[in-house]
Each structure stands twice: as C-alpha cells, then as structure tokens.
Amino acid sequence: AQSVTQPDIHITVSEGASLELRCNYSYGATPYLFWYVQSPGQGLQLLLKYFSGDTLVQGIKGFEAEFKRSQSSFNLRKPSVHWSDAAEYFCAVGALTDSNYQLIWGAGTKLIIKP
Amino acid sequence: DTEVTQTPKHLVMGMTNKKSLKCEQHMGHRAMYWYKQKAKKPPELMFVYSYEKLSINESVPSRFSPECPNSSLLNLHLHALQPEDSALYLCASSQARTDLTEAFFGQGTRLTVV
C-alpha cells in the first residue's frame, strides 16, 4: 500500500541553524514527491517537487530535498533557518489510484524555531 | 496567474444554516479538489471533479454537496452541519485528474459550526 511517513511530529531548531526534515515513502512505481509548507491558519504552499532527473532538487525559500531511491527517502533541508520558517511541513507522494491523481500525505512535522 | 482563490476566508454557521464555499482558478486546470483539514492533521480528500464532472466522492456525508458550474469554479454547499465538521476546507486544482505534476492549493476557508 502507498504510504508516507514523517517520523518527527515536531522539531525544534535554533534560528540560523541547519534543518533536515525526514520523509520516507512506500510506493510501487517511480514516485512523484512533494514538500508543502503550511503556516498557521493558511493554505498549503508547494516548496519543491521531484519527478525525475537530478535527485537533488531546489525549491523556494532556500529549501532543497534529496531523493534517495535506495532508502525510499525524500528529506528536506535548509542550511540556515529563519524565524519565518516556523510552520507545519508535509511530505506527499502523488499517486494514480483508479485513474485519479491523489496525494498521499505524511502526518506532518511541526517546525519550531528558537530565537 | 497560479492562484486558487477561496471565499470566504472564515465562516461561522449554525447547525440549521445553509451556506456555500467558493473556489476559483484561472490556470486552465481541468481537475479540482475539495479537502478537509482538521487541526494538526494532513488534508483529507473529499471530492474530485474532472472536466466539471464528479470523479471521486470519498464517502462524504450528504450534508456536503459539491458543485462545479464551469471549469474555473468549484462550490461546496453546506447544510445541517455538525460541530465536528468544523475544520479548514481547502480547494486545489491540477492540470487533469491523471496529471501528477502538482496541485495548487487555495488559502482555505476556516469553518466553525456552532
């Protein structure tokens, strides 16, 4: 069955420190992978996506993610976080189910920034 | 224009009220989606429209009634809701229901049922 696991419910990082959010997926075919960010009370904004090609993808706001097929992972990274990065982060797999495109979501990781 | 616009941003309604949520996109996308999101949870898919036809109904109670009047608009009609229906309702769109490129999300409507 298709699934996405984000093992960390929340992560606390000091402002200016580096960040890595973990995402593991289970999917039979080549995955289409996404990271979305959601600020409190807001909608979802796409940070980056992976479909094929270079396994290191660059996104908006200084984020990047690396696809590792051997580890079934798509971890999100940022070299130096800012207080405005505090938000909920969702990893998702795009999957075709009964000829319909659906997003399979992880449970989310809440990022807390320490001043 | 890569925006999905949802109105209203906030809605408070009684259990006997009838209200509607609206969603609009002008990206030429032919698939549109309604999601429900409870606090601290990922979004849950409710409905999928493809070329203005209902493609998926994820066993959503009939007090939620979707409508797609044209390719740019998606409505969600609400009637006789329960307090547990209070949530953030998100609209999204993508090129097509079989397109795996990406989905664009609106900012959501925060619904409170009293």
Short mmCIF file of all heavy atoms in Angstrom, two decimals, chain A residues 30-71:
data_model
loop_
_atom_site.label_atom_id
_atom_site.label_comp_id
_atom_site.label_asym_id
_atom_site.label_seq_id
_atom_site.Cartn_x
_atom_site.Cartn_y
_atom_site.Cartn_z
N THR A 30 7.70 4.58 -9.84
CA THR A 30 8.52 5.78 -9.64
C THR A 30 7.69 6.85 -8.96
O THR A 30 6.63 7.22 -9.47
CB THR A 30 9.03 6.32 -10.99
OG1 THR A 30 9.78 5.29 -11.63
CG2 THR A 30 9.89 7.55 -10.77
N PRO A 31 8.13 7.33 -7.82
CA PRO A 31 7.28 8.26 -7.08
C PRO A 31 7.37 9.69 -7.61
O PRO A 31 8.40 10.10 -8.13
CB PRO A 31 7.84 8.19 -5.67
CG PRO A 31 9.30 7.90 -5.88
CD PRO A 31 9.39 7.04 -7.11
N TYR A 32 6.29 10.39 -7.49
CA TYR A 32 6.27 11.84 -7.66
C TYR A 32 6.19 12.40 -6.26
O TYR A 32 5.22 12.15 -5.54
CB TYR A 32 5.08 12.26 -8.50
CG TYR A 32 5.16 11.78 -9.93
CD1 TYR A 32 4.86 10.46 -10.26
CD2 TYR A 32 5.56 12.64 -10.94
CE1 TYR A 32 4.95 10.02 -11.56
CE2 TYR A 32 5.64 12.20 -12.26
CZ TYR A 32 5.34 10.89 -12.56
OH TYR A 32 5.42 10.44 -13.85
N LEU A 33 7.17 13.16 -5.85
CA LEU A 33 7.33 13.56 -4.45
C LEU A 33 7.23 15.06 -4.29
O LEU A 33 7.73 15.82 -5.13
CB LEU A 33 8.68 13.06 -3.92
CG LEU A 33 8.81 11.54 -3.88
CD1 LEU A 33 10.27 11.13 -3.84
CD2 LEU A 33 8.06 10.99 -2.66
N PHE A 34 6.62 15.46 -3.20
CA PHE A 34 6.39 16.88 -2.94
C PHE A 34 6.66 17.20 -1.47
O PHE A 34 6.47 16.36 -0.59
CB PHE A 34 4.92 17.24 -3.23
CG PHE A 34 4.44 16.86 -4.61
CD1 PHE A 34 3.93 15.60 -4.85
CD2 PHE A 34 4.50 17.78 -5.64
CE1 PHE A 34 3.49 15.25 -6.12
CE2 PHE A 34 4.05 17.45 -6.91
CZ PHE A 34 3.54 16.17 -7.15
N TRP A 35 7.07 18.43 -1.24
CA TRP A 35 7.06 19.02 0.08
C TRP A 35 6.20 20.28 0.03
O TRP A 35 6.40 21.15 -0.82
CB TRP A 35 8.46 19.40 0.56
CG TRP A 35 9.23 18.29 1.20
CD1 TRP A 35 10.19 17.51 0.63
CD2 TRP A 35 9.10 17.84 2.55
NE1 TRP A 35 10.65 16.60 1.55
CE2 TRP A 35 10.01 16.78 2.73
CE3 TRP A 35 8.30 18.24 3.63
CZ2 TRP A 35 10.17 16.10 3.94
CZ3 TRP A 35 8.45 17.58 4.84
CH2 TRP A 35 9.36 16.52 4.99
N TYR A 36 5.24 20.34 0.96
CA TYR A 36 4.39 21.51 1.11
C TYR A 36 4.62 22.10 2.49
O TYR A 36 4.91 21.38 3.46
CB TYR A 36 2.91 21.15 0.99
CG TYR A 36 2.41 20.91 -0.42
CD1 TYR A 36 2.51 19.65 -1.01
CD2 TYR A 36 1.83 21.94 -1.15
CE1 TYR A 36 2.04 19.43 -2.30
CE2 TYR A 36 1.35 21.73 -2.44
CZ TYR A 36 1.46 20.47 -3.00
OH TYR A 36 0.98 20.26 -4.28
N VAL A 37 4.43 23.42 2.59
CA VAL A 37 4.52 24.10 3.88
C VAL A 37 3.19 24.79 4.17
O VAL A 37 2.51 25.27 3.25
CB VAL A 37 5.68 25.12 3.90
CG1 VAL A 37 5.49 26.22 2.86
CG2 VAL A 37 5.85 25.73 5.29
N GLN A 38 2.82 24.79 5.44
CA GLN A 38 1.57 25.41 5.85
C GLN A 38 1.81 26.25 7.10
O GLN A 38 2.11 25.71 8.16
CB GLN A 38 0.50 24.35 6.12
CG GLN A 38 -0.87 24.93 6.40
CD GLN A 38 -1.93 23.85 6.53
OE1 GLN A 38 -1.67 22.76 7.03
NE2 GLN A 38 -3.16 24.13 6.07
N SER A 39 1.65 27.55 6.96
CA SER A 39 1.72 28.43 8.12
C SER A 39 0.39 28.37 8.84
O SER A 39 -0.63 28.01 8.23
CB SER A 39 2.03 29.86 7.68
OG SER A 39 3.31 29.90 7.07
N PRO A 40 0.36 28.72 10.13
CA PRO A 40 -0.86 28.58 10.92
C PRO A 40 -2.07 29.25 10.26
O PRO A 40 -2.02 30.40 9.87
CB PRO A 40 -0.51 29.26 12.25
CG PRO A 40 0.97 29.09 12.35
CD PRO A 40 1.50 29.18 10.96
N GLY A 41 -3.15 28.48 10.11
CA GLY A 41 -4.38 29.01 9.55
C GLY A 41 -4.35 29.30 8.07
O GLY A 41 -5.28 29.89 7.53
N GLN A 42 -3.28 28.88 7.40
CA GLN A 42 -3.12 29.17 5.98
C GLN A 42 -3.28 27.93 5.12
O GLN A 42 -3.38 26.81 5.63
CB GLN A 42 -1.74 29.79 5.72
CG GLN A 42 -1.49 31.08 6.46
CD GLN A 42 -2.41 32.20 6.01
OE1 GLN A 42 -2.54 32.48 4.82
NE2 GLN A 42 -3.08 32.84 6.95
N GLY A 43 -3.27 28.15 3.80
CA GLY A 43 -3.30 27.02 2.88
C GLY A 43 -1.93 26.39 2.73
O GLY A 43 -0.99 26.71 3.46
N LEU A 44 -1.83 25.50 1.77
CA LEU A 44 -0.58 24.76 1.54
C LEU A 44 0.18 25.39 0.38
O LEU A 44 -0.39 25.62 -0.69
CB LEU A 44 -0.90 23.31 1.23
CG LEU A 44 -1.44 22.52 2.41
CD1 LEU A 44 -2.40 21.45 1.96
CD2 LEU A 44 -0.31 21.92 3.20
N GLN A 45 1.46 25.61 0.61
CA GLN A 45 2.31 26.17 -0.43
C GLN A 45 3.35 25.14 -0.84
O GLN A 45 4.02 24.55 0.04
CB GLN A 45 3.00 27.44 0.06
CG GLN A 45 3.86 28.12 -0.99
CD GLN A 45 4.55 29.36 -0.48
OE1 GLN A 45 4.78 29.52 0.73
NE2 GLN A 45 4.89 30.26 -1.38
N LEU A 46 3.50 24.92 -2.12
CA LEU A 46 4.48 23.97 -2.60
C LEU A 46 5.88 24.52 -2.44
O LEU A 46 6.19 25.60 -2.93
CB LEU A 46 4.21 23.64 -4.06
CG LEU A 46 5.16 22.63 -4.70
CD1 LEU A 46 4.94 21.24 -4.10
CD2 LEU A 46 4.96 22.58 -6.21
N LEU A 47 6.74 23.77 -1.75
CA LEU A 47 8.14 24.16 -1.60
C LEU A 47 8.98 23.63 -2.75
O LEU A 47 9.83 24.35 -3.30
CB LEU A 47 8.71 23.60 -0.29
CG LEU A 47 8.32 24.30 1.01
CD1 LEU A 47 8.91 23.52 2.19
CD2 LEU A 47 8.81 25.73 1.04
N LEU A 48 8.81 22.37 -3.07
CA LEU A 48 9.57 21.76 -4.15
C LEU A 48 8.94 20.42 -4.52
O LEU A 48 8.08 19.91 -3.81
CB LEU A 48 11.04 21.58 -3.76
CG LEU A 48 11.36 21.00 -2.39
CD1 LEU A 48 11.15 19.50 -2.32
CD2 LEU A 48 12.81 21.35 -1.99
N LYS A 49 9.41 19.88 -5.65
CA LYS A 49 8.86 18.62 -6.14
C LYS A 49 9.94 17.85 -6.87
O LYS A 49 10.90 18.44 -7.39
CB LYS A 49 7.68 18.89 -7.08
CG LYS A 49 8.07 19.75 -8.28
CD LYS A 49 6.86 20.19 -9.06
CE LYS A 49 7.27 21.10 -10.22
NZ LYS A 49 6.12 21.68 -10.93
N TYR A 50 9.78 16.53 -6.90
CA TYR A 50 10.68 15.67 -7.65
C TYR A 50 9.85 14.76 -8.54
O TYR A 50 8.94 14.07 -8.06
CB TYR A 50 11.53 14.82 -6.71
CG TYR A 50 12.32 13.78 -7.47
CD1 TYR A 50 13.47 14.13 -8.17
CD2 TYR A 50 11.88 12.47 -7.54
CE1 TYR A 50 14.18 13.20 -8.89
CE2 TYR A 50 12.58 11.52 -8.26
CZ TYR A 50 13.71 11.89 -8.94
OH TYR A 50 14.40 10.95 -9.67
N PHE A 51 10.21 14.75 -9.84
CA PHE A 51 9.55 13.83 -10.75
C PHE A 51 10.56 12.85 -11.35
O PHE A 51 10.30 11.67 -11.45
CB PHE A 51 8.86 14.58 -11.89
CG PHE A 51 7.76 15.49 -11.43
CD1 PHE A 51 7.49 16.67 -12.10
CD2 PHE A 51 7.00 15.18 -10.33
CE1 PHE A 51 6.47 17.51 -11.66
CE2 PHE A 51 5.99 16.02 -9.88
CZ PHE A 51 5.74 17.20 -10.57
N SER A 52 11.71 13.39 -11.77
CA SER A 52 12.73 12.54 -12.38
C SER A 52 13.99 13.38 -12.50
O SER A 52 13.99 14.58 -12.21
CB SER A 52 12.30 12.04 -13.75
OG SER A 52 12.14 13.11 -14.64
N GLY A 53 15.08 12.77 -12.96
CA GLY A 53 16.30 13.52 -13.23
C GLY A 53 17.14 13.70 -11.99
O GLY A 53 17.24 12.81 -11.15
N ASP A 54 17.73 14.87 -11.87
CA ASP A 54 18.64 15.16 -10.77
C ASP A 54 17.95 14.90 -9.44
O ASP A 54 16.86 15.42 -9.17
CB ASP A 54 19.08 16.63 -10.85
CG ASP A 54 20.25 16.94 -9.93
OD1 ASP A 54 20.58 16.09 -9.08
OD2 ASP A 54 20.83 18.03 -10.07
N THR A 55 18.60 14.11 -8.60
CA THR A 55 17.96 13.71 -7.35
C THR A 55 18.01 14.79 -6.28
O THR A 55 17.38 14.65 -5.24
CB THR A 55 18.60 12.42 -6.81
OG1 THR A 55 20.02 12.65 -6.68
CG2 THR A 55 18.36 11.26 -7.74
N LEU A 56 18.77 15.83 -6.50
CA LEU A 56 18.81 16.96 -5.58
C LEU A 56 17.99 18.08 -6.22
O LEU A 56 18.35 18.58 -7.28
CB LEU A 56 20.24 17.41 -5.32
CG LEU A 56 20.42 18.53 -4.28
CD1 LEU A 56 19.95 18.07 -2.90
CD2 LEU A 56 21.88 18.97 -4.24
N VAL A 57 16.89 18.44 -5.58
CA VAL A 57 16.02 19.45 -6.16
C VAL A 57 16.03 20.70 -5.29
O VAL A 57 16.06 20.61 -4.06
CB VAL A 57 14.59 18.93 -6.34
CG1 VAL A 57 14.54 17.86 -7.39
CG2 VAL A 57 14.01 18.42 -5.05
N GLN A 58 16.00 21.82 -5.96
CA GLN A 58 15.98 23.11 -5.27
C GLN A 58 14.55 23.64 -5.25
O GLN A 58 13.79 23.46 -6.21
CB GLN A 58 16.88 24.10 -5.98
CG GLN A 58 18.33 23.65 -6.10
CD GLN A 58 19.00 23.48 -4.74
OE1 GLN A 58 18.80 24.29 -3.84
NE2 GLN A 58 19.78 22.41 -4.59
N GLY A 59 14.20 24.26 -4.16
CA GLY A 59 12.85 24.82 -4.05
C GLY A 59 12.88 26.29 -3.70
O GLY A 59 13.92 26.94 -3.80
N ILE A 60 11.74 26.76 -3.26
CA ILE A 60 11.64 28.16 -2.87
C ILE A 60 12.12 28.34 -1.44
O ILE A 60 12.29 27.37 -0.70
CB ILE A 60 10.19 28.67 -3.02
CG1 ILE A 60 9.24 27.90 -2.10
CG2 ILE A 60 9.73 28.58 -4.47
CD1 ILE A 60 7.85 28.47 -2.01
N LYS A 61 12.38 29.59 -1.07
CA LYS A 61 12.75 29.96 0.30
C LYS A 61 14.04 29.29 0.76
O LYS A 61 14.24 29.12 1.97
CB LYS A 61 11.62 29.62 1.28
CG LYS A 61 10.28 30.25 0.93
CD LYS A 61 9.25 29.99 2.01
CE LYS A 61 7.92 30.63 1.63
NZ LYS A 61 6.94 30.57 2.72
N GLY A 62 14.90 28.90 -0.15
CA GLY A 62 16.19 28.32 0.22
C GLY A 62 16.16 26.86 0.60
O GLY A 62 17.15 26.32 1.11
N PHE A 63 15.04 26.18 0.38
CA PHE A 63 14.94 24.76 0.70
C PHE A 63 15.43 23.89 -0.46
O PHE A 63 15.35 24.28 -1.62
CB PHE A 63 13.48 24.39 1.01
CG PHE A 63 13.01 24.86 2.35
CD1 PHE A 63 12.39 26.09 2.49
CD2 PHE A 63 13.19 24.08 3.48
CE1 PHE A 63 11.96 26.54 3.74
CE2 PHE A 63 12.76 24.51 4.73
CZ PHE A 63 12.15 25.74 4.86
N GLU A 64 15.92 22.71 -0.09
CA GLU A 64 16.27 21.70 -1.07
C GLU A 64 15.88 20.33 -0.51
O GLU A 64 15.67 20.18 0.70
CB GLU A 64 17.77 21.72 -1.40
CG GLU A 64 18.65 21.33 -0.24
CD GLU A 64 20.13 21.30 -0.63
OE1 GLU A 64 20.54 22.02 -1.55
OE2 GLU A 64 20.86 20.53 0.02
N ALA A 65 15.77 19.36 -1.39
CA ALA A 65 15.45 18.00 -0.95
C ALA A 65 16.21 17.02 -1.83
O ALA A 65 16.49 17.29 -3.01
CB ALA A 65 13.96 17.73 -1.03
N GLU A 66 16.54 15.89 -1.25
CA GLU A 66 17.28 14.88 -1.98
C GLU A 66 16.49 13.58 -2.03
O GLU A 66 16.06 13.06 -0.98
CB GLU A 66 18.64 14.62 -1.34
CG GLU A 66 19.51 13.67 -2.17
CD GLU A 66 20.93 13.59 -1.68
OE1 GLU A 66 21.22 14.08 -0.56
OE2 GLU A 66 21.76 13.03 -2.42
N PHE A 67 16.28 13.07 -3.21
CA PHE A 67 15.59 11.81 -3.43
C PHE A 67 16.62 10.68 -3.38
O PHE A 67 17.61 10.70 -4.13
CB PHE A 67 14.88 11.81 -4.78
CG PHE A 67 14.35 10.47 -5.21
CD1 PHE A 67 13.43 9.80 -4.42
CD2 PHE A 67 14.77 9.89 -6.41
CE1 PHE A 67 12.93 8.57 -4.81
CE2 PHE A 67 14.28 8.66 -6.81
CZ PHE A 67 13.36 8.00 -6.01
N LYS A 68 16.39 9.73 -2.49
CA LYS A 68 17.27 8.56 -2.40
C LYS A 68 16.42 7.32 -2.57
O LYS A 68 15.73 6.88 -1.63
CB LYS A 68 18.00 8.54 -1.06
CG LYS A 68 19.01 9.66 -0.90
CD LYS A 68 19.82 9.51 0.39
CE LYS A 68 20.87 10.60 0.50
NZ LYS A 68 21.66 10.51 1.75
N ARG A 69 16.47 6.76 -3.76
CA ARG A 69 15.62 5.61 -4.07
C ARG A 69 15.95 4.43 -3.17
O ARG A 69 15.05 3.73 -2.69
CB ARG A 69 15.79 5.21 -5.54
CG ARG A 69 14.85 4.10 -5.98
CD ARG A 69 15.16 3.65 -7.40
NE ARG A 69 14.98 4.73 -8.35
CZ ARG A 69 13.82 5.06 -8.91
NH1 ARG A 69 12.74 4.39 -8.59
NH2 ARG A 69 13.76 6.03 -9.78
N SER A 70 17.25 4.22 -2.90
CA SER A 70 17.67 3.05 -2.12
C SER A 70 17.13 3.11 -0.69
O SER A 70 16.93 2.08 -0.05
CB SER A 70 19.19 2.94 -2.10
OG SER A 70 19.75 4.09 -1.50
N GLN A 71 16.89 4.31 -0.21
CA GLN A 71 16.38 4.48 1.16
C GLN A 71 14.91 4.87 1.18
O GLN A 71 14.34 5.08 2.25
CB GLN A 71 17.20 5.56 1.89
CG GLN A 71 18.67 5.21 2.03
CD GLN A 71 19.47 6.31 2.69
OE1 GLN A 71 18.93 7.18 3.35
NE2 GLN A 71 20.78 6.29 2.49
#
